[in-house]
Amino acid sequence: MQWVPRSVLESPAPPDLADREAGCGRASAKLILFGEHVVLYGKPAISLPVPSLPVTAEARRWDGPVVVRSSPLDTGRSTPAAPSRRDASALTRLAVSVVCENLGLPDDGLFVSVDSGIPAGRGFGSSAASSAAIIRAVAGVSGRTLDHDTMFALIQRSEAFAHGKASGVDARTVISAGGPIWFQGGAATPLTVPTGESAPVLVVADTGVYGSTREAVALVRERVTELGTAGQDLLDRAGTITSAAATDLTAARFAALGEKMTAAHDILAQLGVSCPEIETLVAAALDANALGAKLSGGGLGGCVIALAADPEAAVRLEGALAAAGAQRCHTVPLGPI
């Protein structure tokens, strides 16, 4: 079953807005293939935009204060870490403020609607994608286009509010053109992946549990400090795995890539960001002959990604993951769509 975007407005916009010029923005969800958490310690990451899970936004000028209307949050099972509507509203309002400040525009007189098909708290970069779409829409209604570096900087300001310290991998990936990217030190480089009709695909399985990136980042920081030299060794090993995985990816060595996915997951589990629901789905994926499986994103919930050898294997893998408790599954090509 795939995610379907929800209704954009809780109530209709004022009717006179329909005749006013609109600025439009769009951004994609993202998945992290390698480098979660350790990217905050200077290690590289590999990520992938997911255009099939978009966020779109429209901005129109009107005679009133800033209003941002968006689809309801999908935060999965209720947990203390799940965001409130107030938190989400503050994040979207901040995105409007940062772009207005950058463009030297008044921070009022805007009606912004946001339509998101990205579940929150699942490692899909929902906050970064929403901010990106809003920033592009507000710039568009003002007759401006922002370059990638400016977009990155503005999204990062919003991400700092959402998650505390943000590596930048989400901000770069949600506005990238397509296909995997290598991310390190704020810079992104596309990775070329040889693919074909029978190429491996990622199966993304949702635990249904909201995972707080802010909480997970703090937990890993404590864990690395507690482990001392052993903690640094885990970070170094994760960085080495990511570098080797990039070579496997571009050389189409997919079996080796899958093995490295599982090895990367073991490190994330040692850093304390797995949970029983994640472990159950990783084990189910491996039992169903996935080439590899791991959590993706901050952890403590969210999604598991598993590498299927081909589209037929992906169908079987989806069935096994659903039987093991996945709330829903989604398939994502490894290469550009």
Side-chain angles (χ1 to χ4, degrees):
M1 181 171 65
Q2 297 200 0
W3 286 283
V4 178
R6 297 174 295 276
S7 173
V8 58
L9 297 180
E10 296 175 1
S11 58
D16 62 327
L17 286 186
D19 296 329
R20 302 193 182 190
E21 184 176 354
C24 299
R26 180 185 175 94
S28 298
K30 72 91 176 81
L31 289 171
I32 297 181
L33 303 183
F34 293 90
E36 294 91 342
H37 291 290
V38 300
V39 70
L40 289 169
Y41 298 84
K43 308 301 179 184
I46 300 173
S47 58
L48 178 74
V50 186
S52 58
L53 296 179
V55 177
T56 57
E58 285 189 349
R60 289 180 168 87
R61 289 288 175 190
W62 80 314
D63 301 321
V66 170
V67 173
V68 181
R69 298 283 182 86
S70 60
S71 49
L73 283 173
D74 172 7
T75 56
R77 300 172 197 164
S78 178
T79 70
S84 66
R85 288 289 295 174
R86 174 177 291 185
D87 291 338
S89 297
L91 174 63
T92 54
R93 181 66 180 84
L94 178 60
V96 174
S97 295
V98 297
V99 65
C100 286
E101 179 184 335
N102 177 268
L103 298 175
L105 300 173
D107 190 10
D108 59 13
L110 286 165
F111 193 102
V112 182
S113 57
V114 184
D115 188 2
S116 177
I118 306 176
R122 307 301 208 288
F124 278 122
S126 61
S127 62
S130 294
S131 295
I134 291 168
I135 289 166
R136 281 175 165 160
V138 173
V141 78
S142 306
R144 307 283 287 277
T145 301
L146 302 176
D147 61 40
H148 271 228
D149 286 341
T150 302
M151 285 290 301
F152 172 74
L154 298 181
I155 298 167
Q156 277 292 85
R157 289 180 59 185
S158 295
E159 284 291 273
F161 171 84
H163 303 307
K165 185 178 180 181
S167 69
V169 65
D170 285 18
R172 286 291 186 196
T173 311
V174 299
I175 58 174
S176 66
I181 65 171
W182 170 273
F183 177 89
Q184 190 167 23
T189 304
L191 294 173
T192 301
V193 184
T195 57
E197 291 184 1
S198 297
V201 295
L202 291 169
V203 177
V204 187
D206 186 358
T207 64
V209 178
Y210 177 86
S212 167
T213 299
R214 183 186 291 268
E215 180 182 331
V217 167
L219 191 155
V220 170
R221 186 186 308 116
E222 293 174 5
R223 181 68 171 157
V224 169
T225 300
E226 173 188 304
L227 290 173
T229 301
Q232 186 59 51
D233 287 344
L234 288 175
L235 301 180
D236 292 341
R237 282 172 51 202
T240 299
I241 288 172
T242 300
S243 296
T247 302
D248 290 337
L249 190 61
T250 56
R253 294 197 293 262
F254 297 121
L257 181 72
E259 291 174 359
K260 290 176 179 62
M261 287 174 62
T262 306
H265 175 75
D266 290 342
I267 291 175
L268 290 167
Q270 291 180 66
L271 290 173
V273 291
S274 188
C275 66
E277 293 85 354
I278 288 173
E279 292 301 315
T280 294
L281 293 184
V282 167
L286 297 176
D287 287 345
N289 297 318
L291 299 179
K294 63 183 289 293
L295 69 83
S296 180
L300 302 181
C303 288
V304 165
I305 56 174
L307 187 60
D310 53 48
E312 290 185 2
V315 173
R316 295 192 295 271
L317 190 52
E318 285 189 74
L321 289 165
Q327 298 297 296
R328 41 198 171 182
C329 292
H330 193 74
T331 56
V332 179
L334 271 180
I337 297 175

